[in-house]
């Protein structure tokens, strides 16, 4: 797809750099040979202008608010598909046939149980442990029990590894919730579908089996599939980077969970609800919240607002805003936090600070309200995001691994420390 070249002048020398054009006409200047030719590197802290790879998984046009998985618009998937079908699409590139779907579902059912010894690992955590800490630790622990699937060298090994990780992460999530509640673990039920089983394992207690209604199951499916991939975001780039050292799938995914945990990324859904709760409890009003978010000295940000790529609207937030209404109407409930969220959104979108910087609600602004309505506690929100993002992480890990000539990811730097100096013995310092 290389068409023209770009010319770069450094001092009195000119360098010709190939231009790469993607299938959606995105243009990149290929600088892979720049240092070799010129001795210069490019500097782009936080990678705002750096393409780290070519990828055929997800397309985003941040200006137009477009998000497509393997070419299919997110709106169509949100309306017509469910999480596990979307997972298949992302990982293997095509929507599954009935036979492929059945096979994948059966493999997920077969791999849902954790090795019994893994329960002792859970018992080693204090019950106040953050669920994301348990999740990342347990993903590596799981791999110790399945060394046979770790090499992922053949398609069959990869398929097995995918089934293990997608299915067992759900069981780990439910068990970590049970741990925090001091309730007995509920084993996966092989008759239930993926999302229904997740909610069953979380909310069933020995004297009462929880059975999610189709509406609740649908809402949870929606949340997971809307999170399923988002091209080179922080956690996915982490997974690709770790995978580039040829670390196994489980180790790479565990590192993705850690990257996701931060409040600027997957921890934002939790931070949004905590912010809305503060407003509800009267600790802060909407005007103060907006004022603080605009004040750089305050260190406060309007959580659930802004995005590196979306500069118009986040299509996922649009879908979830409507889904909040649907879920609360179905449950015949209102949530004061939804009213506060809407007022906050209205106030921010009238304020020139947010308008000028093109800051809009992102996926995390409304997802927490739906999860709250379902009964999921806030500290589990990032875990739900992680379950949702798994297919994307897996797809990117695989794509990176299968790229011919892939090299270990290893950025460079511009050194700004002291120039060479001599060691000073302790008694002379
Ligand atoms: N509240 C107040 N100001 C903001 C916010 C915000 N939420 N987001 C960006 N800004 C300001 C920022 O201070 C900067 O101002 P200035 O130009 O005067 O220096 C300008 O807007 C551009 O922001 P940026 O920090 O350069 O944007 P970024 O692309 O580096 O960061 C972000 C993107 C999502 C980390 C950021 O918008 C943010 O911190 N949002 C709140 C946390 C959040 O909701 N995260 C979830 C992201 S979506 C799901 C996911 O991918 O995990």
């Amino acid at each position: 797809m290389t068409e023209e070249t770009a010319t770069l002048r450094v001092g009195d020398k000119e360098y010709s750099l190939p231009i790469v054009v993607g299938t959606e006409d995105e243009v990149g200047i290929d600088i892979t040979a720049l240092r070799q030719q010129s001795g210069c590197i490019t500097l782009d802290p936080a990678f705002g202008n750096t393409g780290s790879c070519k990828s055929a998984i997800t397309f985003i046009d941040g200006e137009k608010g477009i998000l497509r998985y393997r070419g299919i618009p997110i709106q169509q998937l949100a309306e017509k598909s469910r999480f596990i079908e979307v997972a298949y699409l992302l990982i293997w590139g095509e929507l599954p046939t009935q036979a492929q779907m059945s096979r994948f579902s059966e493999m997920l059912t077969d791999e849902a149980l954790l090795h019994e010894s893994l329960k002792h690992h859970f018992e080693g955590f204090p019950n106040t442990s953050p669920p994301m800490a348990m999740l990342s630790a347990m993903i590596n622990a799981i791999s110790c029990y399945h060394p046979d699937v770790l090499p992922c060298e053949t398609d069959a090994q990869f398929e097995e590894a995918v089934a293990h990780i997608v299915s067992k992460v759900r069981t780990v999530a439910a068990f970590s919730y049970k741990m925090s509640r001091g309730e007995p673990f509920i084993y996966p039920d092989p008759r239930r579908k993926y999302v229904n089983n997740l909610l069953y394992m979380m909310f069933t207690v020995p004297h009462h089996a929880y059975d999610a209604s189709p509406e609740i199951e649908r809402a949870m499916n929606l949340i997971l599939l809307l999170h399923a991939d988002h091209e080179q975001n922080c956690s996915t780039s982490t997974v690709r980077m770790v995978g580039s050292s040829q670390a196994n799938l489980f180790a790479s995914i565990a590192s993705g969970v850690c990257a996701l945990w931060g409040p600027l990324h997957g921890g934002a859904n939790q931070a949004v609800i905590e912010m809305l709760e503060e407003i509800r409890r009267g600790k802060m009003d909407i005007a103060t919240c907006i004022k603080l978010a605009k004040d750089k000295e305050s260190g406060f940000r309007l959580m659930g607002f802004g995005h590196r790529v979306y500069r118009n609207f986040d299509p996922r937030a649009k879908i979830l805003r409507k889904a909040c209404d649907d879920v609360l109407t179905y449950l015949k409930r209102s949530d004061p936090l939804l009213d506060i969220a809407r007022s906050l959104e209205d106030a921010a979108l009238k304020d020139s600070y947010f308008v000028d910087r093109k800051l809009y609600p992102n996926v995390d602004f409304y997802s927490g309200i739906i999860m709250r309505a379902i009964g999921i506690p806030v500290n589990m929100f990032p875990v739900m995001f992680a379950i949702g993002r798994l297919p994307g992480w897996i797809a990117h890990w695989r794509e990176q691994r299968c790229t011919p000539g892939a090299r270990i990811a290893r950025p460079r730097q511009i050194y700004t420390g002291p120039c060479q100096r001599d060691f000073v013995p302790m008694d002379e310092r």
Side-chain angles (χ1 to χ4, degrees):
M1 281 190 285
T2 301
E3 286 177 355
E4 307 160 24
T5 55
T7 305
L8 176 72
R9 183 174 306 139
V10 184
D12 57 358
K13 290 213 171 116
E14 281 195 353
Y15 302 96
S16 185
L17 302 165
I19 288 185
V20 178
V21 183
T23 48
E24 291 282 352
D25 293 335
E26 290 170 302
V27 177
I29 301 170
D30 180 346
I31 56 152
T32 38
L34 179 65
R35 186 170 179 280
Q36 199 187 7
Q37 289 171 8
S38 68
C40 300
I41 61 165
T42 56
L43 184 63
D44 182 21
F47 309 135
N49 291 291
T50 295
S52 58
C53 59
K54 292 181 193 165
S55 179
I57 301 169
T58 287
F59 173 69
I60 301 177
D61 183 327
E63 274 68 38
K64 295 190 185 137
I66 291 173
L67 168 62
R68 297 183 200 134
Y69 296 161
R70 300 285 188 183
I72 304 178
I74 194 69
Q75 294 80 358
Q76 289 183 26
L77 293 168
E79 193 193 328
K80 298 179 180 153
S81 190
R82 62 196 168 90
F83 175 60
I84 285 302
E85 188 179 44
V86 165
Y88 190 101
L89 169 72
L90 284 166
I91 296 170
W92 282 287
E94 294 294 340
L95 286 168
T97 61
Q98 187 57 59
Q100 288 166 329
M101 192 68 245
S102 304
R103 179 181 157 80
F104 188 37
S105 298
E106 277 163 27
M107 288 183 82
L108 292 175
T109 302
D110 288 347
E111 303 307 342
L113 278 175
L114 301 182
H115 192 286
E116 275 296 290
S117 304
L118 280 166
K119 284 204 308 199
H120 302 306
H121 288 252
F122 274 108
E123 284 155 13
F125 290 113
N127 62 3
T128 49
S129 306
M132 285 295 264
M134 288 193 262
L135 182 63
S136 130
M138 291 303 289
I139 289 173
N140 268 321
I142 290 169
S143 74
C144 303
Y145 290 83
H146 304 283
D148 45 316
V149 302
L150 285 187
C152 277
E153 273 155 12
T154 62
D155 287 350
Q157 276 173 335
F158 176 67
E159 196 184 21
E160 274 290 320
V162 170
H164 273 281
I165 203 159
V166 172
S167 200
K168 287 182 171 46
V169 158
R170 169 188 56 171
T171 311
V172 167
F175 280 19
S176 58
Y177 172 69
K178 287 301 194 192
M179 267 282 301
S180 68
R181 307 266 305 171
E183 290 175 3
F185 298 140
I186 302 295
Y187 284 68
D189 176 348
R191 291 161 303 180
R192 292 171 189 269
K193 286 191 186 295
Y194 189 90
V195 169
N196 188 289
N197 217 347
L198 167 67
L199 299 172
Y200 165 80
M201 284 191 276
M202 284 179 75
F203 298 133
T204 290
V205 281
H207 51 278
H208 176 68
Y210 176 87
D211 208 356
S213 65
E215 289 78 4
I216 295 301
E217 197 179 321
R218 163 133 198 79
M220 201 61 228
N221 257 301
L222 182 68
I223 289 183
L224 296 180
L225 79 80
L226 290 178
H227 285 87
D229 192 38
H230 218 229
E231 47 115 308
Q232 310 307 321
N233 58 85
C234 176
S235 55
T236 303
S237 299
T238 303
V239 170
R240 287 186 83 117
M241 183 145 200
V242 174
S244 79
S245 75
Q246 300 194 351
N248 70 60
L249 180 65
F250 289 73
S252 306
I253 299 287
S255 65
V257 171
C258 295
L260 186 73
W261 193 358
L264 296 188
H265 192 10
N269 49 18
Q270 178 172 351
V272 169
I273 294 295
E274 287 162 359
M275 177 183 77
L276 298 176
E277 273 289 1
E278 278 203 22
I279 298 175
R280 188 181 67 87
R281 285 201 218 102
K283 288 195 174 167
M284 175 166 66
D285 58 21
I286 287 179
T288 312
C289 184
I290 298 278
K291 199 169 152 212
L292 279 175
K294 292 175 357 180
D295 175 7
K296 301 277 190 253
E297 302 296 305
S298 72
F300 177 85
R301 282 197 160 191
L302 191 54
M303 298 314 285
F305 253 71
H307 199 276
R308 171 65 59 84
V309 182
Y310 294 120
R311 295 296 175 185
N312 191 336
F313 67 93
D314 179 338
R316 304 167 300 173
K318 231 179 184 177
I319 296 169
L320 285 175
R321 194 182 203 272
K322 156 103 182 31
C324 281
D325 275 337
D326 295 347
V327 170
L328 292 173
T329 307
Y330 163 73
L331 292 171
K332 297 194 177 58
R333 242 191 259 162
S334 61
D335 184 343
L337 296 198
L338 179 58
D339 301 330
I340 295 170
R342 293 223 160 113
S343 307
L344 193 54
E345 179 184 348
D346 287 347
L349 297 184
K350 280 189 198 119
D351 192 298
S352 60
Y353 174 94
F354 295 92
V355 175
D356 294 349
R357 289 170 179 74
K358 300 187 191 302
L359 302 172
Y360 294 86
N362 60 47
V363 68
D364 291 317
F365 198 67
Y366 287 109
S367 62
I369 291 174
I370 300 178
M371 288 195 272
R372 233 167 87 91
I374 294 175
I376 297 168
V378 280
N379 67 349
M380 287 293 291
F381 289 2
V383 172
M384 297 297 137
F385 193 152
I387 298 175
R389 187 54 55 90
L390 254 184
W393 288 335
I394 296 169
H396 283 273
W397 183 90
R398 177 73 159 169
E399 186 179 65
Q400 189 272 332
R401 267 308 167 85
C402 294
T403 304
R407 299 167 75 201
I408 189 166
R410 203 308 187 179
R412 288 188 176 260
Q413 62 165 16
I414 298 290
Y415 175 70
T416 59
C419 294
Q420 182 175 334
R421 52 188 179 146
D422 289 328
F423 177 81
V424 181
M426 182 80 83
D427 56 359
E428 290 173 29
R429 287 176 214 162

